[in-house]
Amino acid sequence: MKNKNPLTFPFSIIAIILGVILFKQFDFKTLTFEKPILAGVYFIIFLFSIFFLIKNANKRVEK
């Protein structure tokens, strides 16, 4: 059997790791990030990985 979406697993690992990193860097007392520019980069990559996972999930449902 062929696995048609081999990139789903790496993107899910990336999303989990970046979500944890963003959660740890956020200061809930002051509602700011420790390193705002780096957090922005993490957030953009996090959104990209979530978008890719949702896009692949929709393709699986259609088939």
Side-chain angles (χ1 to χ4, degrees):
M1 269 181 9
K2 290 184 180 179
N3 190 359
K4 294 184 180 182
N5 293 323
L7 294 177
T8 304
F9 181 71
F11 276 107
S12 62
I13 297 297
I14 290 170
I16 291 169
I17 291 172
L18 289 177
V20 170
I21 289 172
L22 286 170
F23 182 76
K24 285 185 177 181
Q25 282 192 357
F26 190 72
D27 185 14
F28 289 99
K29 292 180 183 176
T30 61
L31 299 177
T32 58
F33 286 100
E34 292 176 11
K35 300 175 184 175
I37 294 174
L38 189 59
V41 172
Y42 288 157
F43 188 70
I44 290 170
I45 297 170
F46 177 75
L47 288 179
F48 174 73
S49 62
I50 295 295
F51 172 75
F52 186 77
L53 289 172
I54 292 172
K55 188 173 101 174
N56 278 344
N58 288 339
K59 283 184 181 179
R60 287 184 190 172
V61 171
E62 291 175 2
K63 290 183 181 180

